[in-house]
């Protein structure tokens, strides 16, 4: 039996972006949040290092510096108006979180504590600046808990463990979604005046990733299937420091506190690649430098990993060599106790997964697939835009990692995602409510669950000729090897072909579990379909872009080409094939310059 619900604003996703949207939407409309995970299990809860805002609590800092760092970090692909808006809003939203009760770490004076992060600089001295506001190394966890409490207080309706499989659209207007209730297997139709997608990222496309199992690109894939393009998918960030082989993240905050990367010769190599900011260069630069070291045989024991060293004696040695000072001008020195209080979870992770004590030994790390700069195209109001002219799709909004505003362009700076969630989650929530207040419920189609049933029935009735897990494995290793940190024409073309072949094989995937209750076998197989669609659009977008910019580094086109390529990619899925178009980047006052570190 299909069940029907009606809410003015329906938000899919209960991470930072979805909850912030819900909080603001619920101030003016009947609001529901649908989430395939229990809300506090969303990936936002895994965010460690911090949220960026030019509060200047420890040293001089300015919104303009934050804006320019973000434009530069984006390798000039970010839309400068949206970036300026995000950085301007940053102090206000951080204080807003504080006033909601978020337990930030504190300075001696009781202000919100801040630390260094990659790519965030003092624009006069070009040295790293303390801009990341943090709650130990559990910043995302605290944001998620705080926002969830506020949403409960504001009487948002939660549909937990409901997996959305389709967006409903009537006459070009979004008017609801269809979901499977995990506990019963029943289909539920949610009729809405406006719909917000806040479904997070898709790092599970790659073999080694810091991302949660749930990061399967559902939002982008559902949109692609509805004729909505995906923007800039070729830009996927590899974070330099994932735990070797497992990909679990070691926050950049460790390097912010003074940790350094070391090669097999015991050399701190980042000062060769980025003489000014060294280990705190932006992530694309550090990941590529690590690859080059490993390619030169300087991986530890000749293998494909390096060391991240945060032993107090190492931190103090390099702080002295770099002449690092505390904000009050004293030489920067740390003790094991201080490090323990600033990144306690990381120290636990290293003990659990690497069996090392980071106060006594270095940690084995490698670049790990981390963050989707691309996603569903939106403007700075959170409205989804569906073509190169930025035409708005009525009733449809997106925010958070699933969206591409674009504030991160070709490379996101650390701490700017949590900021993006709260700034644009809030915008999307406000605008979705504004729209709902002026709109009637648009009629649903006669059979709104038809497409969902077709997808589910195929998976349930297929003989098990192909296994989802095997196809997933092949996709992940192909994408990791050929559409990873470094790319070539032949590699990417091979990946495109392989993904096409896997998509054909996917049509024959069957499942073992044919039951109704908690059928995660079925839903995981459905998620693989999303990953494959996103992988195909990613490979096609990447092979077409004949330049290197931010996270998209081509060996055959090693330089940035602003004349031809300072534009956003739009990828549509039409009859199973990917079609591309491009749209202009919004430039305000920052002319593209070479990035110097
Ligand atoms: C390990 C790690 C550390 C990070 N550290 C930082 C940091 O320190 N600073 C920073 O700025 N950024 C950090 N990031 C990035 C940042 O945390 C994420 O980009 C951000 O939290 C994403 O938030 P979101 O609200 O978009 O998605 P999420 O928090 O992942 O939420 C997605 C929601 O969508 C729901 N959902 C998805 N698909 C469906 C579906 N089909 N049906 C129903 N519900 C669905 C899920 O249940 C979930 O509730 C980190 C990321 C990782 C992985």
């Amino acid at each position: 039996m299909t069940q029907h619900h009606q809410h003015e604003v329906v938000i899919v996703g209960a991470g930072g972006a979805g909850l912030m949207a819900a909080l603001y939407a619920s101030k003016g409309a009947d609001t529901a949040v649908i989430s395939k995970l229990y809300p506090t299990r969303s990936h936002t809860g895994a965010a460690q290092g911090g949220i960026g805002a030019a509060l200047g609590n420890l040293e001089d800092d300015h919104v303009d510096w934050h804006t320019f760092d973000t434009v530069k970090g984006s390798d000039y692909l970010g839309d400068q108006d949206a970036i300026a808006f995000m950085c301007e809003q940053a102090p206000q939203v951080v204080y807003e979180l504080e006033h909601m009760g978020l337990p930030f770490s504190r300075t001696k004076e009781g202000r919100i504590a801040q630390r260094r992060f990659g790519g965030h600089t003092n624009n006069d001295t070009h040295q790293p600046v303390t801009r990341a506001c943090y709650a130990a190394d559990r910043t995302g966890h605290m944001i998620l808990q705080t926002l969830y409490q506020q949403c409960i207080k504001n009487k948002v309706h939660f549909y937990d463990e409901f997996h959305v499989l389709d967006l409903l659209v009537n006459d070009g207007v979004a008017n609801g979604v269809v979901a499977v209730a995990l506990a019963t297997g029943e289909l539920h139709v949610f009729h809405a005046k406006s719909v917000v997608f806040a479904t997070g990222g898709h790092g599970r496309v790659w073999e080694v990733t810091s991302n949660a199992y749930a990061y399967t690109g559902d939002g982008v894939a559902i949109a692609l299937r509805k004729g909505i393009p995906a923007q800039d998918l070729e830009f996927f960030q590899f974070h330099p420091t994932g735990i070797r082989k497992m990909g679990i993240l070691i926050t950049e905050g460790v390097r912010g506190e003074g940790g350094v990367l070391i090669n097999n010769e015991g050399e701190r190599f980042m000062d060769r690649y980025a003489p000014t900011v060294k280990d705190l260069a932006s992530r694309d630069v550090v990941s590529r430098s690590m690859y080059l070291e490993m390619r030169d045989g300087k991986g530890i024991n000749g293998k494909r990993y390096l060391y991240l060293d945060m032993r107090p004696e190492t931190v103090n040695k390099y702080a002295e060599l770099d002449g690092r000072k505390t904000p009050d001008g004293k030489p920067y020195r740390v003790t094991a106790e201080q490090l323990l209080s600033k990144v306690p979870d990381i120290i636990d992770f290293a003990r659990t997964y690497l069996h090392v004590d980071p106060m006594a030994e270095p940690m084995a790390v490698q670049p790990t697939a981390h963050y989707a700069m691309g996603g569903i195209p939106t403007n700075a109001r959170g409205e989804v835009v569906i073509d190169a002219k930025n035409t708005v799709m009525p009733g449809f909004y997106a925010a958070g990692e699933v969206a591409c505003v674009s504030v991160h362009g070709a490379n996101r700076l650390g701490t700017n995602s949590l900021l993006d969630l709260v700034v644009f989650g809030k915008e999307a929530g406000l605008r979705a409510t504004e729209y709902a207040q002026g709109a009637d419920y648009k009629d649903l189609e006669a059979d709104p669950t038809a497409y969902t049933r077709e997808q589910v029935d195929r998976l349930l009735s297929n003989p098990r000729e192909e296994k989802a897990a095997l196809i997933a494995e092949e996709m992940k290793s192909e994408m990791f090897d050929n559409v990873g940190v470094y790319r070539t024409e032949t590699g990417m073309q091979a990946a495109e072909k392989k993904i096409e072949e896997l998509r054909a094989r996917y049509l024959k995937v069957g499942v073992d579990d044919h039951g109704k209750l908690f059928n995660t076998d079925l839903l995981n197989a459905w998620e693989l379909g999303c990953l494959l669609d996103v992988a195909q659009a990613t490979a096609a977008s990447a092979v077409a872009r004949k330049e290197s910019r931010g996270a998209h580094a081509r060996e055959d086109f090693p330089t940035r080409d602003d004349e031809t390529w300072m534009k956003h990619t739009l990828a549509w899925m039409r009859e199973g094939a990917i079609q591309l178009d491009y749209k202009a980047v919004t430039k305000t006052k920052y002319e593209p310059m070479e990035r110097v570190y």
Side-chain angles (χ1 to χ4, degrees):
M1 261 288 285
T2 302
Q3 296 195 34
H4 287 258
H5 311 264
Q6 208 174 51
H7 295 283
E8 288 178 298
V9 179
V10 161
I11 294 163
V12 184
L19 294 181
M20 193 72 178
L23 186 57
Y24 277 89
S26 63
K27 293 180 197 280
D30 166 36
T31 301
V33 172
I34 309 173
S35 175
K36 68 179 180 182
L37 302 173
Y38 189 76
T40 49
R41 293 177 62 92
S42 303
H43 190 70
T44 297
Q48 303 164 352
I51 173 166
L55 304 184
N57 279 356
L58 289 157
E59 57 184 317
D60 198 20
D61 196 8
H62 302 281
V63 165
D64 268 359
W65 292 356
H66 190 183
T67 306
F68 177 59
D69 286 341
T70 306
V71 171
K72 184 167 73 129
S74 82
D75 222 353
Y76 295 92
L77 194 76
D79 288 323
Q80 297 180 9
D81 53 344
I83 293 174
F85 175 72
M86 178 177 80
C87 297
E88 260 162 44
Q89 293 289 308
Q92 186 193 322
V93 290
V94 166
Y95 291 136
E96 217 175 308
L97 290 171
E98 182 190 35
H99 295 166
M100 288 179 202
L102 196 147
F104 280 109
S105 296
R106 297 284 161 179
T107 64
K108 281 198 287 282
E109 299 75 29
R111 297 206 175 96
I112 294 173
Q114 296 188 278
R115 63 176 154 222
R116 295 171 163 199
F117 245 76
H120 294 278
T121 62
N122 173 316
N123 285 190
D124 292 337
T125 63
H126 308 294
Q127 289 300 314
V129 74
T130 48
R131 187 177 292 150
C133 311
Y134 62 94
D137 51 0
R138 305 180 188 113
T139 315
H141 173 87
M142 296 306 183
I143 291 180
L144 199 59
Q145 301 288 334
T146 304
L147 290 176
Y148 186 49
Q149 288 162 3
Q150 294 294 318
C151 284
I152 296 288
K153 185 172 145 201
N154 251 30
K155 303 210 167 18
V156 171
H157 302 261
F158 278 91
Y159 295 88
D160 300 336
E161 300 190 326
F162 277 65
H163 200 140
V164 170
L165 303 194
D166 193 18
L167 170 72
L168 298 173
V169 180
N170 188 358
D171 206 11
V173 179
N175 64 341
V177 296
V178 181
V180 176
L182 190 62
T184 62
E186 274 174 358
L187 292 187
H188 290 244
V189 172
F190 292 86
H191 192 189
K193 292 182 179 174
S194 51
V195 177
V196 183
F197 267 21
T199 52
H202 53 258
R204 286 276 149 190
V205 162
W206 287 270
E207 187 178 337
V208 176
T209 176
S210 66
N211 284 186
Y213 281 100
Y215 257 29
T216 50
D218 304 9
V220 173
I222 291 173
L224 279 171
R225 293 166 190 175
K226 286 288 155 175
I228 296 158
Q231 184 174 318
D232 295 338
L233 285 187
E234 65 271 42
F235 298 103
F236 196 88
Q237 176 167 83
F238 282 73
H239 190 293
T241 57
I243 288 182
R244 183 186 175 212
K245 290 189 177 164
M246 280 174 273
I248 296 168
L249 195 75
I250 302 287
T251 175
E252 196 168 287
V254 166
R255 281 171 286 139
E257 301 295 349
V260 290
L261 287 160
I262 303 282
N263 66 19
N264 196 36
E265 294 168 3
E267 181 201 10
R268 184 252 197 129
F269 55 87
M270 275 314 298
D271 51 5
R272 272 193 276 118
Y273 296 96
T276 316
V277 279
K278 303 182 175 106
D279 294 82
L280 286 177
S282 62
R283 290 174 180 174
D284 53 340
V285 176
V286 181
S287 287
R288 279 197 292 277
S289 309
M290 291 170 77
Y291 255 73
L292 294 177
E293 288 296 294
M294 296 188 285
R295 192 190 286 177
D296 287 351
K298 293 186 192 159
I300 306 301
N301 300 322
K303 300 218 170 94
R304 298 188 71 77
Y305 70 99
L306 291 152
Y307 279 145
L308 174 60
D309 194 340
M310 64 173 301
R311 290 175 291 182
E313 61 269 27
T314 310
V315 170
N316 290 336
K317 173 178 145 190
Y318 287 103
E320 191 175 345
L321 279 173
D322 294 347
R324 183 171 176 183
K325 299 269 190 294
T326 60
D328 48 9
K330 300 199 184 99
Y332 181 86
R333 293 288 173 272
V334 294
T335 61
E337 289 71 45
Q338 284 165 339
L339 289 174
L340 269 164
S341 74
K342 290 192 167 158
V343 284
D345 278 3
I346 292 302
I347 289 169
D348 259 7
F349 290 170
R351 289 186 178 137
T352 308
Y353 299 108
L354 286 167
H355 307 294
V356 305
D357 173 2
M359 293 300 106
E361 290 165 275
M363 297 173 271
V365 293
Q366 72 175 109
T368 182
H370 183 60
Y371 182 84
M373 269 77 73
I376 301 175
T378 73
N379 58 27
R381 295 163 55 90
E383 295 164 326
V384 173
V385 291
I386 51 172
D387 56 25
K389 288 185 272 170
N390 286 319
T391 306
V392 169
M393 177 168 173
F396 193 29
Y397 301 78
E401 192 168 338
V402 70
C404 181
V405 182
S406 128
V407 280
H408 312 301
N411 171 66
R412 170 174 75 82
L413 295 188
T415 77
N416 270 355
S417 169
L418 291 178
L419 179 60
D420 168 0
L421 305 184
V422 282
V423 170
F424 294 106
K426 177 173 170 180
E427 270 309 294
L430 287 171
R431 302 307 152 212
T433 285
E434 205 174 87
Y435 179 85
Q437 284 168 343
D440 290 325
Y441 283 100
K442 203 164 169 62
D443 286 345
L444 293 172
E445 289 164 48
D447 186 3
T449 59
Y451 178 58
T452 307
R453 286 201 316 273
E454 184 189 314
Q455 298 181 71
V456 169
D457 290 349
R458 195 193 64 234
L459 287 166
L460 286 174
S461 60
N462 269 350
R464 233 175 144 236
E465 270 177 69
E466 291 281 358
K467 295 192 173 94
L470 292 183
I471 293 183
E473 235 172 71
E474 289 184 41
M475 170 194 69
K476 285 165 200 275
S477 68
E478 183 71 30
M479 291 296 284
F480 200 69
D481 292 344
N482 283 328
V483 196
V485 173
Y486 271 110
R487 302 164 175 190
T488 63
E489 182 98 5
T490 40
M492 287 184 289
Q493 279 170 345
E496 256 192 308
K497 203 157 152 264
K498 178 78 182 182
I499 302 297
E500 231 176 270
E501 187 191 305
L502 294 175
R503 287 183 82 226
R505 281 171 53 194
Y506 175 74
L507 295 175
K508 297 189 194 146
V509 163
V511 292
D512 280 336
D513 184 354
H514 291 88
K516 286 277 213 190
L517 315 186
F518 289 96
N519 193 341
T520 48
D521 192 19
L522 172 72
L523 292 170
N524 291 346
W526 180 84
E527 287 174 335
L528 172 62
C530 296
L531 286 171
L532 286 166
D533 286 357
V534 174
Q536 197 187 15
T538 301
S541 305
V543 81
R545 183 175 283 272
K546 295 190 175 4
E547 66 158 353
S548 288
R549 182 186 296 270
H552 178 65
R554 290 187 61 145
E555 302 199 38
D556 41 359
F557 295 95
T559 51
R560 198 177 79 198
D561 172 3
D562 289 325
E563 209 153 295
T564 322
W565 287 106
M566 198 172 135
K567 57 190 180 188
H568 298 291
T569 304
L570 294 175
W572 282 265
M573 204 170 65
R574 293 196 171 122
E575 281 153 23
I578 302 298
Q579 280 179 14
L580 302 177
D581 194 5
Y582 295 91
K583 77 173 180 189
V585 168
T586 306
K587 186 159 66 76
T588 54
K589 61 179 180 183
Y590 303 101
E591 288 300 327
M593 293 191 308
E594 211 186 317
R595 285 157 99 204
V596 180
Y597 291 98

